Amino acid sequence: MFQVIPPRPAPAGAAGAAAWVRRNLFSTPVNGLVTLATGGLLLWAVGSLVTWSLFDASWGQVWANLKLLAVFRYPADLLWRPLTVLAVVMLLLGATAGAARQDEILRGAFWWVSGFVALVALVAVLAWSSVRVPWAIAGAAPFLGYLLGRARPEVLRALPWAWALSLPLGFFLLYGVVPGSGLLRIAPAREWGGFMLTLILFSAIVPSFPLGIALALGRRSRLPAIKLFCIGFIEVVRGAPLIMWLFMASLLLPLFLNTDPNNLPAIARAYVMITLFSAAYMAENVRGGLQSVRRGQTEAARALGLSGWQTTRLIVLPQALRAVIPAIVGQAIGVFKDTSLVFVVGLTDFYRVTETIATQPESLLITGGVKLELYLFISVVYFFFSYRMSVASRQLEKRLGVGTR
Amino acid sequence: MTTTPAPSPVRADAPPGGERIIEIEGLNKWFGDFHVLRDIHMSVNKGEVVVVIGPSGSGKSTLIRCINHLEEHQQGRIVVDGIVLTDDVRNIDQIRRETGMVFQSFNLFPHLTVLENITLAPIRVRKWRKSQAEERARFFLEKVGIPEQALKFPGQLSGGQQQRVAIARALTMGPKVMLFDEPTSALDPEVIGEVLEVMVNLAKEGMTMIVVTHEMGFAREVGDRVVFMDAGHIVEVGTPEHFFTAPREERTKGFLSKIL
């Protein structure tokens, strides 16, 4: 006669931490030796890094030059402007995370970024009297935004527009309005730099997104002229390294636009180039997504009488983009770090500032210089953001079931 | 030199007296060099249920996919409800609004809920108000027996439920003809019955249907006419009774002996 067999606990030694260690680290004598050797090596390396950074490193020059690292030569009395942009962006991020707070991935990313901003704001309020107020506002903005989004989730519908608007408005505010003096005077682009410039150039991923989608769709077009143009663009751009395109941009773009190179700030040239470069890669990512949508989807939509464009917009693209979100985040990580290449066209981004600081007289007085300290500092900041993006990418993959298929 | 006269094709004409809703004259289609449909003549009356059977690769799916222009034909004339099918996009969309189609693999939109799947086309194509579309959608969900699944996503449903949603989706557009392309072939055996039941009810209500299927029970029970196709030809046409008791052609007999 049939009877249900009750579950029993696994035999001893098959579960628990000790069992895991035995199975994975010390399963054979050779494995045990390898574990001990690599463990020792790791301990020694990490140990010496920690000892060095605690006792031997001279962090004074990093601390003294945080303004250069953050914004380079952006006028000190106008720092409220980038900080206002930061506050607005953080407000929007907070509102987005608050309105869509059932989205754990978005919420996790939000706490990470706003925690970073709040920490810097805390330091600013304590130590940097000249930017105390704008930093305090920027530090509080994400949390205010979060509360706003949570109280009024209907703002979610207006947020895409707010985000889209924040980009040009941000540039406008950073650049200024009137020449001469005053609060809204123009801050010449050659004075921009540091982490601010890195973030500005990173934002090129935003315009590259619709451009990439357009290129991917164009590549599948039935009109030969559009198709050829898109294929040509994508393949040519992908066919050369970014560093070469940046050189090209500084030399060729003014030529194409028939203008003196000085009329077009190097930042604008680099921005355009990074946008186009990223768009070509984006297009290939999106194309992968488009190919993953089964043909039956299009057929079903067409059979219902939807037009070709409606089918693309309502059926194919939503599925295609969902499938390639992890790849797009991966690309964002790449662009974030690739922006450091802009030093070749004379821009001083986060990475390049280290060079400026390392050659200051005060730095040269220090035995051994301060390059190591500077590199370590910017690595930690790069890592802080890149790692978080990769965590988000993995979470997205898990949610979409991409990794498990 | 004498040329052999072209063999005269078998015609699958609807019985006289009815109101013709589909007319296919001299339809020919090639996939590249492959002649997949050969001189197809077929017509369907309003309210008729025509079952198309035949071995795989015989062109039966391609035939019904030509009717709503999911496949392009190279020769012949197709008329649906008085509209002559041309290459004009507006003309094609007009015909697609009048014909509902149910696919073997359901082809529900996985990123939309059941309700959104059904209301998408009525709202975007027929320009109905959302409330009106949802009301109609719920009516048809009730009809196919799964009103409680309206807010779920297709991935959360069983195959039989998905196919019933697909039928409701097609019906909500208010089509004059329903095309079924092997609607039960991808289903687990235990859920085939629930889909067939919906189709039987639909037939009883007088819907015009062309059904490509291997379900001989369905053909026998609700088919007005059975069309047997092989290698791109219409081989034999008749009532289910004729078909399953006294088929004339050797090919038909061979096919039926394999599947019955």
Side-chain angles (χ1 to χ4, degrees), chain B residues 2-31:
Chain B
T2 55
T3 53
T4 44
S8 70
V10 178
R11 301 184 62 96
D13 288 321
E19 185 187 337
R20 295 281 161 93
I21 193 152
I22 291 179
E23 276 177 278
I24 298 170
E25 276 298 318
L27 179 67
N28 277 282
K29 174 170 176 61
W30 289 261
F31 283 127

Side-chain angles (χ1 to χ4, degrees), chain A residues 289-300:
Chain A
L290 291 173
Q291 279 168 344
S292 77
V293 178
R294 286 181 303 123
R295 218 177 60 145
Q297 293 288 310
T298 315
E299 287 180 352

